Amino acid sequence: MENLIALLIAAPLLGAAVLLCGGRRLDKAGPLLGTLLAAASFVIGAALFADMLGRSADDRAMYQHLYTWIPVEGFQAEMAFQLDQLSMTFVLLITGVGSLIHVYSIGYMEHDERKRRFFGYLNLFLAAMLLLVLADNYLLLYFGWEGVGLASYLLIGFWQHKPSAATAAKKAFLVNRVGDMGLSIAIMLMFTTFGTFAFGPVLASTGEASEGTLTAIALMLLLAACGKSAQVPLQSWLGDAMEGPTPVSALIHAATMVTAGVYLIVRSADIFNASPDAQLVVVVVGAVTLLFGAIVGCAKDDIKKALAGSTMSQIGYMILAAGLGPIGYVFAIMHLVTHGFFKAGLFLGAGSVMHGMNDEVDMRRYGGLRKYMPVTFVTFGLGYLAIIGFPGLSGFFSKDKIIEAAFAKGGTEGWILGAVTLLGAAITAYYMTRVMLMTFFGEKRWQADEKGDLPHPHESPKSMTVPMILLAVGSVAAGGLFSIGDRFVTWLEPVTSFEHGHPPIGAGAITSATVAVMVIGVGIAYLQYGRRPVPVTAPRGSLLTRAARRDLLQDDFNHAVFVTGGTHLTRSLVYVDHTLVDGVVNGTAASVGGLSGRLRKLQNGYARSYAVSMFGGTAVLIAATLLMRAV
């Protein structure tokens, strides 16, 4: 079965090559071809999963070596794949949710003239993401990492005729390059320290390296994770990336690309375990981003940007859990999987609402849509209940475990992290209830679009609703299925060294507190948006609200520090160059030129002048000689 691993990547890669190079003759059949090849990758993954289940827990890792990628003496890079429990989890998530999003896109992009190219980009993204999680060494992972960055750039800016989409694509690409520098530096440090960048030798040799070196590698890996997973301080690109088609948001910003940072940290667990300082930084980044994204999500009226803030916040939970070490790795991945179901479903639901509302994204112009879009309402509602941690649904099981692990950290740090995760749960319940009420409840607030057409909301076609229904099923059942008999823990334990945490208070008390803060968040949102009319124009709001609408001034900060600061630095360097460097160079040149001009007068070509010079020189020498003898 190991020989099938490469086919996981080959199927969507073939689709990308055919669709992007096949020309217009594939315009009609292209979407179906791309969807079938994505589904073929899922079928192969399911077959490998079934084979893996038939093996003992310690014998489930599979390897496939294709060829030596870089055959240089002392620097061997292999094109080889590793499929274990961790990468298999991602394979099933990427291909399963990815295939559903392909099906959804058939209906969503039906009238787009460039849909063949769109499906080619989707296939390219799947191939790159699969390469990322299947690579057996960091250099090959980096290859997939960059491929994901390229594909996301193409997909976010797919509607490049819109200046906002083109700008968003460039912003995502540039911000991610900062994180990518971290990954490249980490790989260089690995090679100079261990003489290799293969997972096995690197992770097995952490005991041979100094803690300072391991901390440096871990922090560079974290920088890479911050870029891909939109964590502070590299989070500014995610909200703007919503300019891409909605299926892109569901694929990239819910289930795959933004979770790559979590995968990188968990895959590199041995490095982080050996560096408590790096783990602390990971925890702080996750905690700050958790609250940052939640606060931003509270103030957004654009339905997709509200969900983008939610994505940032939920991945903050995952990063925080990964920073807790062996007590949190499994739960970080568990929440990653459940989040892939309910957040992808929420994004597809948002796309369905936009489909029926003339592409309107402002929730203040929605209202009362549950009567007109019943399937969308129910599936979106189940995703909403899952993400707020409603008891019995998937988010309840995965997020509750992260909150328990945060408390289990122990000491003052544990209480602080536990309080942060509970506060995040309350804010999540608030902003998601706000989205739900503004979109599906209340009075109609519909307005005509730029063409003067009034929306006529209607249910989306089956090609869009069926994937939404299947994702809703996962939103309801995944967490419970994972928790029965600690199945998910047992599944990942051989790869992620699991340890049971011991919170200072009972698990029942933590669960009760989690449900209580959820109810409080829902109640506050209901009082503000369920009991009162929603104004079509947003009120001015408090200082915090206005800042949250501007993404807590992240772009203002970047502009002030990097753009304006960089401009002033450049001008200063230019001034120094013109005044000091050019002054020295030009002054030296002028001095030499002046001296040579004066010396040139002595070289006039007249013999009598040379004779006088020789006579004068002879006289000086004679006088000097006589003076020396006299002394």
mmCIF file with all atom_site columns, all heavy atoms in Angstrom, residues 8-16 41 94 121-134 144 147-148 151:
data_model
loop_
_atom_site.group_PDB
_atom_site.id
_atom_site.type_symbol
_atom_site.label_atom_id
_atom_site.label_alt_id
_atom_site.label_comp_id
_atom_site.label_asym_id
_atom_site.label_entity_id
_atom_site.label_seq_id
_atom_site.pdbx_PDB_ins_code
_atom_site.Cartn_x
_atom_site.Cartn_y
_atom_site.Cartn_z
_atom_site.occupancy
_atom_site.B_iso_or_equiv
_atom_site.pdbx_formal_charge
_atom_site.auth_seq_id
_atom_site.auth_comp_id
_atom_site.auth_asym_id
_atom_site.auth_atom_id
_atom_site.pdbx_PDB_model_num
ATOM 1   N N   . LEU A 1 8   ? -1.699  10.057 -3.952  1.00 0.00 ? 8   LEU A N   1
ATOM 2   C CA  . LEU A 1 8   ? -2.493  11.060 -3.255  1.00 0.00 ? 8   LEU A CA  1
ATOM 3   C C   . LEU A 1 8   ? -2.219  12.453 -3.814  1.00 0.00 ? 8   LEU A C   1
ATOM 4   O O   . LEU A 1 8   ? -3.132  13.267 -4.005  1.00 0.00 ? 8   LEU A O   1
ATOM 5   C CB  . LEU A 1 8   ? -2.182  11.042 -1.753  1.00 0.00 ? 8   LEU A CB  1
ATOM 6   C CG  . LEU A 1 8   ? -2.700  9.862  -0.937  1.00 0.00 ? 8   LEU A CG  1
ATOM 7   C CD1 . LEU A 1 8   ? -2.022  9.834  0.428   1.00 0.00 ? 8   LEU A CD1 1
ATOM 8   C CD2 . LEU A 1 8   ? -4.205  9.945  -0.792  1.00 0.00 ? 8   LEU A CD2 1
ATOM 9   N N   . ILE A 1 9   ? -0.943  12.720 -4.091  1.00 0.00 ? 9   ILE A N   1
ATOM 10  C CA  . ILE A 1 9   ? -0.540  14.019 -4.626  1.00 0.00 ? 9   ILE A CA  1
ATOM 11  C C   . ILE A 1 9   ? -0.701  14.055 -6.135  1.00 0.00 ? 9   ILE A C   1
ATOM 12  O O   . ILE A 1 9   ? -1.106  15.074 -6.713  1.00 0.00 ? 9   ILE A O   1
ATOM 13  C CB  . ILE A 1 9   ? 0.930   14.309 -4.252  1.00 0.00 ? 9   ILE A CB  1
ATOM 14  C CG1 . ILE A 1 9   ? 1.106   14.237 -2.728  1.00 0.00 ? 9   ILE A CG1 1
ATOM 15  C CG2 . ILE A 1 9   ? 1.375   15.655 -4.779  1.00 0.00 ? 9   ILE A CG2 1
ATOM 16  C CD1 . ILE A 1 9   ? 2.550   14.254 -2.280  1.00 0.00 ? 9   ILE A CD1 1
ATOM 17  N N   . ALA A 1 10  ? -0.432  12.925 -6.781  1.00 0.00 ? 10  ALA A N   1
ATOM 18  C CA  . ALA A 1 10  ? -0.426  12.890 -8.241  1.00 0.00 ? 10  ALA A CA  1
ATOM 19  C C   . ALA A 1 10  ? -1.804  13.179 -8.831  1.00 0.00 ? 10  ALA A C   1
ATOM 20  O O   . ALA A 1 10  ? -1.909  13.836 -9.879  1.00 0.00 ? 10  ALA A O   1
ATOM 21  C CB  . ALA A 1 10  ? 0.072   11.534 -8.725  1.00 0.00 ? 10  ALA A CB  1
ATOM 22  N N   . ALA A 1 11  ? -2.874  12.707 -8.181  1.00 0.00 ? 11  ALA A N   1
ATOM 23  C CA  . ALA A 1 11  ? -4.218  12.889 -8.744  1.00 0.00 ? 11  ALA A CA  1
ATOM 24  C C   . ALA A 1 11  ? -4.586  14.368 -8.885  1.00 0.00 ? 11  ALA A C   1
ATOM 25  O O   . ALA A 1 11  ? -4.895  14.839 -9.991  1.00 0.00 ? 11  ALA A O   1
ATOM 26  C CB  . ALA A 1 11  ? -5.249  12.134 -7.895  1.00 0.00 ? 11  ALA A CB  1
ATOM 27  N N   . PRO A 1 12  ? -4.567  15.179 -7.819  1.00 0.00 ? 12  PRO A N   1
ATOM 28  C CA  . PRO A 1 12  ? -4.886  16.599 -8.006  1.00 0.00 ? 12  PRO A CA  1
ATOM 29  C C   . PRO A 1 12  ? -3.829  17.346 -8.810  1.00 0.00 ? 12  PRO A C   1
ATOM 30  O O   . PRO A 1 12  ? -4.156  18.318 -9.503  1.00 0.00 ? 12  PRO A O   1
ATOM 31  C CB  . PRO A 1 12  ? -4.977  17.134 -6.568  1.00 0.00 ? 12  PRO A CB  1
ATOM 32  C CG  . PRO A 1 12  ? -4.208  16.179 -5.738  1.00 0.00 ? 12  PRO A CG  1
ATOM 33  C CD  . PRO A 1 12  ? -4.359  14.847 -6.395  1.00 0.00 ? 12  PRO A CD  1
ATOM 34  N N   . LEU A 1 13  ? -2.572  16.908 -8.731  1.00 0.00 ? 13  LEU A N   1
ATOM 35  C CA  . LEU A 1 13  ? -1.538  17.568 -9.523  1.00 0.00 ? 13  LEU A CA  1
ATOM 36  C C   . LEU A 1 13  ? -1.787  17.355 -11.008 1.00 0.00 ? 13  LEU A C   1
ATOM 37  O O   . LEU A 1 13  ? -1.601  18.277 -11.827 1.00 0.00 ? 13  LEU A O   1
ATOM 38  C CB  . LEU A 1 13  ? -0.160  17.022 -9.138  1.00 0.00 ? 13  LEU A CB  1
ATOM 39  C CG  . LEU A 1 13  ? 1.042   17.734 -9.747  1.00 0.00 ? 13  LEU A CG  1
ATOM 40  C CD1 . LEU A 1 13  ? 1.068   19.197 -9.335  1.00 0.00 ? 13  LEU A CD1 1
ATOM 41  C CD2 . LEU A 1 13  ? 2.343   17.047 -9.325  1.00 0.00 ? 13  LEU A CD2 1
ATOM 42  N N   . LEU A 1 14  ? -2.225  16.164 -11.382 1.00 0.00 ? 14  LEU A N   1
ATOM 43  C CA  . LEU A 1 14  ? -2.597  15.900 -12.769 1.00 0.00 ? 14  LEU A CA  1
ATOM 44  C C   . LEU A 1 14  ? -3.759  16.793 -13.179 1.00 0.00 ? 14  LEU A C   1
ATOM 45  O O   . LEU A 1 14  ? -3.768  17.351 -14.284 1.00 0.00 ? 14  LEU A O   1
ATOM 46  C CB  . LEU A 1 14  ? -2.979  14.420 -12.932 1.00 0.00 ? 14  LEU A CB  1
ATOM 47  C CG  . LEU A 1 14  ? -3.547  14.012 -14.298 1.00 0.00 ? 14  LEU A CG  1
ATOM 48  C CD1 . LEU A 1 14  ? -2.502  14.208 -15.383 1.00 0.00 ? 14  LEU A CD1 1
ATOM 49  C CD2 . LEU A 1 14  ? -4.030  12.571 -14.272 1.00 0.00 ? 14  LEU A CD2 1
ATOM 50  N N   . GLY A 1 15  ? -4.752  16.919 -12.303 1.00 0.00 ? 15  GLY A N   1
ATOM 51  C CA  . GLY A 1 15  ? -5.884  17.786 -12.611 1.00 0.00 ? 15  GLY A CA  1
ATOM 52  C C   . GLY A 1 15  ? -5.448  19.220 -12.843 1.00 0.00 ? 15  GLY A C   1
ATOM 53  O O   . GLY A 1 15  ? -5.922  19.886 -13.781 1.00 0.00 ? 15  GLY A O   1
ATOM 54  N N   . ALA A 1 16  ? -4.525  19.722 -12.005 1.00 0.00 ? 16  ALA A N   1
ATOM 55  C CA  . ALA A 1 16  ? -4.042  21.092 -12.178 1.00 0.00 ? 16  ALA A CA  1
ATOM 56  C C   . ALA A 1 16  ? -3.338  21.250 -13.518 1.00 0.00 ? 16  ALA A C   1
ATOM 57  O O   . ALA A 1 16  ? -3.560  22.233 -14.238 1.00 0.00 ? 16  ALA A O   1
ATOM 58  C CB  . ALA A 1 16  ? -3.099  21.450 -11.029 1.00 0.00 ? 16  ALA A CB  1
ATOM 59  N N   . SER A 1 41  ? -8.349  11.302 -4.988  1.00 0.00 ? 41  SER A N   1
ATOM 60  C CA  . SER A 1 41  ? -7.348  11.396 -3.928  1.00 0.00 ? 41  SER A CA  1
ATOM 61  C C   . SER A 1 41  ? -7.947  11.007 -2.578  1.00 0.00 ? 41  SER A C   1
ATOM 62  O O   . SER A 1 41  ? -7.291  10.329 -1.774  1.00 0.00 ? 41  SER A O   1
ATOM 63  C CB  . SER A 1 41  ? -6.794  12.825 -3.866  1.00 0.00 ? 41  SER A CB  1
ATOM 64  O OG  . SER A 1 41  ? -5.726  12.925 -2.957  1.00 0.00 ? 41  SER A OG  1
ATOM 65  N N   . ILE A 1 94  ? -8.033  17.113 4.311   1.00 0.00 ? 94  ILE A N   1
ATOM 66  C CA  . ILE A 1 94  ? -7.770  17.906 3.103   1.00 0.00 ? 94  ILE A CA  1
ATOM 67  C C   . ILE A 1 94  ? -8.556  17.371 1.916   1.00 0.00 ? 94  ILE A C   1
ATOM 68  O O   . ILE A 1 94  ? -9.222  18.132 1.196   1.00 0.00 ? 94  ILE A O   1
ATOM 69  C CB  . ILE A 1 94  ? -6.264  17.905 2.789   1.00 0.00 ? 94  ILE A CB  1
ATOM 70  C CG1 . ILE A 1 94  ? -5.496  18.645 3.888   1.00 0.00 ? 94  ILE A CG1 1
ATOM 71  C CG2 . ILE A 1 94  ? -5.989  18.533 1.433   1.00 0.00 ? 94  ILE A CG2 1
ATOM 72  C CD1 . ILE A 1 94  ? -4.000  18.393 3.847   1.00 0.00 ? 94  ILE A CD1 1
ATOM 73  N N   . TYR A 1 121 ? -6.665  25.780 -10.167 1.00 0.00 ? 121 TYR A N   1
ATOM 74  C CA  . TYR A 1 121 ? -6.005  26.327 -8.981  1.00 0.00 ? 121 TYR A CA  1
ATOM 75  C C   . TYR A 1 121 ? -6.385  25.539 -7.725  1.00 0.00 ? 121 TYR A C   1
ATOM 76  O O   . TYR A 1 121 ? -5.540  25.320 -6.847  1.00 0.00 ? 121 TYR A O   1
ATOM 77  C CB  . TYR A 1 121 ? -6.391  27.794 -8.798  1.00 0.00 ? 121 TYR A CB  1
ATOM 78  C CG  . TYR A 1 121 ? -5.840  28.737 -9.847  1.00 0.00 ? 121 TYR A CG  1
ATOM 79  C CD1 . TYR A 1 121 ? -6.412  29.994 -10.063 1.00 0.00 ? 121 TYR A CD1 1
ATOM 80  C CD2 . TYR A 1 121 ? -4.739  28.393 -10.623 1.00 0.00 ? 121 TYR A CD2 1
ATOM 81  C CE1 . TYR A 1 121 ? -5.921  30.869 -11.010 1.00 0.00 ? 121 TYR A CE1 1
ATOM 82  C CE2 . TYR A 1 121 ? -4.233  29.262 -11.583 1.00 0.00 ? 121 TYR A CE2 1
ATOM 83  C CZ  . TYR A 1 121 ? -4.829  30.502 -11.770 1.00 0.00 ? 121 TYR A CZ  1
ATOM 84  O OH  . TYR A 1 121 ? -4.333  31.362 -12.717 1.00 0.00 ? 121 TYR A OH  1
ATOM 85  N N   . LEU A 1 122 ? -7.653  25.136 -7.622  1.00 0.00 ? 122 LEU A N   1
ATOM 86  C CA  . LEU A 1 122 ? -8.073  24.331 -6.476  1.00 0.00 ? 122 LEU A CA  1
ATOM 87  C C   . LEU A 1 122 ? -7.293  23.016 -6.425  1.00 0.00 ? 122 LEU A C   1
ATOM 88  O O   . LEU A 1 122 ? -6.821  22.595 -5.364  1.00 0.00 ? 122 LEU A O   1
ATOM 89  C CB  . LEU A 1 122 ? -9.573  24.030 -6.539  1.00 0.00 ? 122 LEU A CB  1
ATOM 90  C CG  . LEU A 1 122 ? -10.565 25.145 -6.215  1.00 0.00 ? 122 LEU A CG  1
ATOM 91  C CD1 . LEU A 1 122 ? -11.994 24.618 -6.282  1.00 0.00 ? 122 LEU A CD1 1
ATOM 92  C CD2 . LEU A 1 122 ? -10.299 25.754 -4.845  1.00 0.00 ? 122 LEU A CD2 1
ATOM 93  N N   . ASN A 1 123 ? -7.152  22.361 -7.575  1.00 0.00 ? 123 ASN A N   1
ATOM 94  C CA  . ASN A 1 123 ? -6.388  21.108 -7.627  1.00 0.00 ? 123 ASN A CA  1
ATOM 95  C C   . ASN A 1 123 ? -4.921  21.342 -7.272  1.00 0.00 ? 123 ASN A C   1
ATOM 96  O O   . ASN A 1 123 ? -4.301  20.540 -6.562  1.00 0.00 ? 123 ASN A O   1
ATOM 97  C CB  . ASN A 1 123 ? -6.481  20.493 -9.020  1.00 0.00 ? 123 ASN A CB  1
ATOM 98  C CG  . ASN A 1 123 ? -7.707  19.627 -9.214  1.00 0.00 ? 123 ASN A CG  1
ATOM 99  O OD1 . ASN A 1 123 ? -7.818  18.864 -10.161 1.00 0.00 ? 123 ASN A OD1 1
ATOM 100 N ND2 . ASN A 1 123 ? -8.670  19.731 -8.311  1.00 0.00 ? 123 ASN A ND2 1
ATOM 101 N N   . LEU A 1 124 ? -4.361  22.444 -7.755  1.00 0.00 ? 124 LEU A N   1
ATOM 102 C CA  . LEU A 1 124 ? -2.972  22.765 -7.438  1.00 0.00 ? 124 LEU A CA  1
ATOM 103 C C   . LEU A 1 124 ? -2.799  22.973 -5.936  1.00 0.00 ? 124 LEU A C   1
ATOM 104 O O   . LEU A 1 124 ? -1.816  22.509 -5.341  1.00 0.00 ? 124 LEU A O   1
ATOM 105 C CB  . LEU A 1 124 ? -2.546  24.027 -8.195  1.00 0.00 ? 124 LEU A CB  1
ATOM 106 C CG  . LEU A 1 124 ? -1.122  24.529 -7.928  1.00 0.00 ? 124 LEU A CG  1
ATOM 107 C CD1 . LEU A 1 124 ? -0.090  23.488 -8.373  1.00 0.00 ? 124 LEU A CD1 1
ATOM 108 C CD2 . LEU A 1 124 ? -0.887  25.863 -8.640  1.00 0.00 ? 124 LEU A CD2 1
ATOM 109 N N   . PHE A 1 125 ? -3.763  23.627 -5.327  1.00 0.00 ? 125 PHE A N   1
ATOM 110 C CA  . PHE A 1 125 ? -3.695  23.855 -3.888  1.00 0.00 ? 125 PHE A CA  1
ATOM 111 C C   . PHE A 1 125 ? -3.740  22.534 -3.127  1.00 0.00 ? 125 PHE A C   1
ATOM 112 O O   . PHE A 1 125 ? -2.960  22.320 -2.187  1.00 0.00 ? 125 PHE A O   1
ATOM 113 C CB  . PHE A 1 125 ? -4.841  24.760 -3.436  1.00 0.00 ? 125 PHE A CB  1
ATOM 114 C CG  . PHE A 1 125 ? -4.844  25.004 -1.952  1.00 0.00 ? 125 PHE A CG  1
ATOM 115 C CD1 . PHE A 1 125 ? -4.092  26.030 -1.421  1.00 0.00 ? 125 PHE A CD1 1
ATOM 116 C CD2 . PHE A 1 125 ? -5.565  24.192 -1.101  1.00 0.00 ? 125 PHE A CD2 1
ATOM 117 C CE1 . PHE A 1 125 ? -4.062  26.243 -0.045  1.00 0.00 ? 125 PHE A CE1 1
ATOM 118 C CE2 . PHE A 1 125 ? -5.547  24.394 0.263   1.00 0.00 ? 125 PHE A CE2 1
ATOM 119 C CZ  . PHE A 1 125 ? -4.793  25.424 0.800   1.00 0.00 ? 125 PHE A CZ  1
ATOM 120 N N   . LEU A 1 126 ? -4.651  21.623 -3.510  1.00 0.00 ? 126 LEU A N   1
ATOM 121 C CA  . LEU A 1 126 ? -4.730  20.330 -2.836  1.00 0.00 ? 126 LEU A CA  1
ATOM 122 C C   . LEU A 1 126 ? -3.422  19.568 -2.956  1.00 0.00 ? 126 LEU A C   1
ATOM 123 O O   . LEU A 1 126 ? -2.937  18.972 -1.980  1.00 0.00 ? 126 LEU A O   1
ATOM 124 C CB  . LEU A 1 126 ? -5.868  19.496 -3.431  1.00 0.00 ? 126 LEU A CB  1
ATOM 125 C CG  . LEU A 1 126 ? -7.310  19.860 -3.067  1.00 0.00 ? 126 LEU A CG  1
ATOM 126 C CD1 . LEU A 1 126 ? -8.253  18.798 -3.598  1.00 0.00 ? 126 LEU A CD1 1
ATOM 127 C CD2 . LEU A 1 126 ? -7.486  20.018 -1.571  1.00 0.00 ? 126 LEU A CD2 1
ATOM 128 N N   . ALA A 1 127 ? -2.826  19.579 -4.153  1.00 0.00 ? 127 ALA A N   1
ATOM 129 C CA  . ALA A 1 127 ? -1.564  18.859 -4.356  1.00 0.00 ? 127 ALA A CA  1
ATOM 130 C C   . ALA A 1 127 ? -0.467  19.427 -3.464  1.00 0.00 ? 127 ALA A C   1
ATOM 131 O O   . ALA A 1 127 ? 0.293   18.679 -2.834  1.00 0.00 ? 127 ALA A O   1
ATOM 132 C CB  . ALA A 1 127 ? -1.150  18.933 -5.822  1.00 0.00 ? 127 ALA A CB  1
ATOM 133 N N   . ALA A 1 128 ? -0.371  20.756 -3.388  1.00 0.00 ? 128 ALA A N   1
ATOM 134 C CA  . ALA A 1 128 ? 0.664   21.387 -2.570  1.00 0.00 ? 128 ALA A CA  1
ATOM 135 C C   . ALA A 1 128 ? 0.438   21.109 -1.086  1.00 0.00 ? 128 ALA A C   1
ATOM 136 O O   . ALA A 1 128 ? 1.387   20.834 -0.337  1.00 0.00 ? 128 ALA A O   1
ATOM 137 C CB  . ALA A 1 128 ? 0.687   22.897 -2.828  1.00 0.00 ? 128 ALA A CB  1
ATOM 138 N N   . MET A 1 129 ? -0.809  21.168 -0.652  1.00 0.00 ? 129 MET A N   1
ATOM 139 C CA  . MET A 1 129 ? -1.105  20.931 0.764   1.00 0.00 ? 129 MET A CA  1
ATOM 140 C C   . MET A 1 129 ? -0.813  19.474 1.134   1.00 0.00 ? 129 MET A C   1
ATOM 141 O O   . MET A 1 129 ? -0.299  19.187 2.225   1.00 0.00 ? 129 MET A O   1
ATOM 142 C CB  . MET A 1 129 ? -2.571  21.271 1.033   1.00 0.00 ? 129 MET A CB  1
ATOM 143 C CG  . MET A 1 129 ? -2.936  21.324 2.501   1.00 0.00 ? 129 MET A CG  1
ATOM 144 S SD  . MET A 1 129 ? -2.161  22.709 3.347   1.00 0.00 ? 129 MET A SD  1
ATOM 145 C CE  . MET A 1 129 ? -2.243  22.128 5.054   1.00 0.00 ? 129 MET A CE  1
ATOM 146 N N   . LEU A 1 130 ? -1.120  18.552 0.244   1.00 0.00 ? 130 LEU A N   1
ATOM 147 C CA  . LEU A 1 130 ? -0.825  17.145 0.503   1.00 0.00 ? 130 LEU A CA  1
ATOM 148 C C   . LEU A 1 130 ? 0.681   16.901 0.543   1.00 0.00 ? 130 LEU A C   1
ATOM 149 O O   . LEU A 1 130 ? 1.172   16.111 1.360   1.00 0.00 ? 130 LEU A O   1
ATOM 150 C CB  . LEU A 1 130 ? -1.480  16.263 -0.567  1.00 0.00 ? 130 LEU A CB  1
ATOM 151 C CG  . LEU A 1 130 ? -3.002  16.140 -0.468  1.00 0.00 ? 130 LEU A CG  1
ATOM 152 C CD1 . LEU A 1 130 ? -3.575  15.492 -1.725  1.00 0.00 ? 130 LEU A CD1 1
ATOM 153 C CD2 . LEU A 1 130 ? -3.398  15.319 0.768   1.00 0.00 ? 130 LEU A CD2 1
ATOM 154 N N   . LEU A 1 131 ? 1.427   17.564 -0.333  1.00 0.00 ? 131 LEU A N   1
ATOM 155 C CA  . LEU A 1 131 ? 2.885   17.442 -0.301  1.00 0.00 ? 131 LEU A CA  1
ATOM 156 C C   . LEU A 1 131 ? 3.423   17.944 1.037   1.00 0.00 ? 131 LEU A C   1
ATOM 157 O O   . LEU A 1 131 ? 4.329   17.336 1.629   1.00 0.00 ? 131 LEU A O   1
ATOM 158 C CB  . LEU A 1 131 ? 3.500   18.232 -1.455  1.00 0.00 ? 131 LEU A CB  1
ATOM 159 C CG  . LEU A 1 131 ? 5.033   18.255 -1.517  1.00 0.00 ? 131 LEU A CG  1
ATOM 160 C CD1 . LEU A 1 131 ? 5.596   16.854 -1.671  1.00 0.00 ? 131 LEU A CD1 1
ATOM 161 C CD2 . LEU A 1 131 ? 5.510   19.148 -2.660  1.00 0.00 ? 131 LEU A CD2 1
ATOM 162 N N   . LEU A 1 132 ? 2.851   19.021 1.534   1.00 0.00 ? 132 LEU A N   1
ATOM 163 C CA  . LEU A 1 132 ? 3.286   19.608 2.810   1.00 0.00 ? 132 LEU A CA  1
ATOM 164 C C   . LEU A 1 132 ? 3.153   18.601 3.958   1.00 0.00 ? 132 LEU A C   1
ATOM 165 O O   . LEU A 1 132 ? 4.071   18.439 4.762   1.00 0.00 ? 132 LEU A O   1
ATOM 166 C CB  . LEU A 1 132 ? 2.462   20.873 3.080   1.00 0.00 ? 132 LEU A CB  1
ATOM 167 C CG  . LEU A 1 132 ? 2.869   21.804 4.221   1.00 0.00 ? 132 LEU A CG  1
ATOM 168 C CD1 . LEU A 1 132 ? 2.267   23.189 3.986   1.00 0.00 ? 132 LEU A CD1 1
ATOM 169 C CD2 . LEU A 1 132 ? 2.418   21.303 5.589   1.00 0.00 ? 132 LEU A CD2 1
ATOM 170 N N   . VAL A 1 133 ? 2.006   17.929 4.030   1.00 0.00 ? 133 VAL A N   1
ATOM 171 C CA  . VAL A 1 133 ? 1.761   17.049 5.182   1.00 0.00 ? 133 VAL A CA  1
ATOM 172 C C   . VAL A 1 133 ? 2.316   15.641 4.987   1.00 0.00 ? 133 VAL A C   1
ATOM 173 O O   . VAL A 1 133 ? 2.407   14.876 5.952   1.00 0.00 ? 133 VAL A O   1
ATOM 174 C CB  . VAL A 1 133 ? 0.255   16.975 5.510   1.00 0.00 ? 133 VAL A CB  1
ATOM 175 C CG1 . VAL A 1 133 ? -0.284  18.347 5.849   1.00 0.00 ? 133 VAL A CG1 1
ATOM 176 C CG2 . VAL A 1 133 ? -0.548  16.355 4.370   1.00 0.00 ? 133 VAL A CG2 1
ATOM 177 N N   . LEU A 1 134 ? 2.691   15.286 3.756   1.00 0.00 ? 134 LEU A N   1
ATOM 178 C CA  . LEU A 1 134 ? 3.218   13.940 3.495   1.00 0.00 ? 134 LEU A CA  1
ATOM 179 C C   . LEU A 1 134 ? 4.741   13.897 3.413   1.00 0.00 ? 134 LEU A C   1
ATOM 180 O O   . LEU A 1 134 ? 5.328   12.814 3.430   1.00 0.00 ? 134 LEU A O   1
ATOM 181 C CB  . LEU A 1 134 ? 2.631   13.379 2.195   1.00 0.00 ? 134 LEU A CB  1
ATOM 182 C CG  . LEU A 1 134 ? 1.157   12.984 2.240   1.00 0.00 ? 134 LEU A CG  1
ATOM 183 C CD1 . LEU A 1 134 ? 0.639   12.666 0.846   1.00 0.00 ? 134 LEU A CD1 1
ATOM 184 C CD2 . LEU A 1 134 ? 0.946   11.795 3.171   1.00 0.00 ? 134 LEU A CD2 1
ATOM 185 N N   . GLY A 1 144 ? 6.294   22.109 -0.434  1.00 0.00 ? 144 GLY A N   1
ATOM 186 C CA  . GLY A 1 144 ? 4.840   22.158 -0.364  1.00 0.00 ? 144 GLY A CA  1
ATOM 187 C C   . GLY A 1 144 ? 4.340   23.438 0.271   1.00 0.00 ? 144 GLY A C   1
ATOM 188 O O   . GLY A 1 144 ? 3.312   23.998 -0.127  1.00 0.00 ? 144 GLY A O   1
ATOM 189 N N   . GLY A 1 147 ? 4.368   26.000 -2.285  1.00 0.00 ? 147 GLY A N   1
ATOM 190 C CA  . GLY A 1 147 ? 3.311   25.722 -3.260  1.00 0.00 ? 147 GLY A CA  1
ATOM 191 C C   . GLY A 1 147 ? 1.957   26.152 -2.754  1.00 0.00 ? 147 GLY A C   1
ATOM 192 O O   . GLY A 1 147 ? 1.129   26.702 -3.516  1.00 0.00 ? 147 GLY A O   1
ATOM 193 N N   . VAL A 1 148 ? 1.705   25.936 -1.483  1.00 0.00 ? 148 VAL A N   1
ATOM 194 C CA  . VAL A 1 148 ? 0.453   26.393 -0.878  1.00 0.00 ? 148 VAL A CA  1
ATOM 195 C C   . VAL A 1 148 ? 0.370   27.912 -0.940  1.00 0.00 ? 148 VAL A C   1
ATOM 196 O O   . VAL A 1 148 ? -0.690  28.484 -1.230  1.00 0.00 ? 148 VAL A O   1
ATOM 197 C CB  . VAL A 1 148 ? 0.368   25.899 0.592   1.00 0.00 ? 148 VAL A CB  1
ATOM 198 C CG1 . VAL A 1 148 ? -0.749  26.609 1.342   1.00 0.00 ? 148 VAL A CG1 1
ATOM 199 C CG2 . VAL A 1 148 ? 0.141   24.398 0.617   1.00 0.00 ? 148 VAL A CG2 1
ATOM 200 N N   . ALA A 1 151 ? -0.498  28.884 -4.575  1.00 0.00 ? 151 ALA A N   1
ATOM 201 C CA  . ALA A 1 151 ? -1.887  28.574 -4.918  1.00 0.00 ? 151 ALA A CA  1
ATOM 202 C C   . ALA A 1 151 ? -2.854  29.511 -4.193  1.00 0.00 ? 151 ALA A C   1
ATOM 203 O O   . ALA A 1 151 ? -3.866  29.937 -4.766  1.00 0.00 ? 151 ALA A O   1
ATOM 204 C CB  . ALA A 1 151 ? -2.197  27.114 -4.572  1.00 0.00 ? 151 ALA A CB  1
#
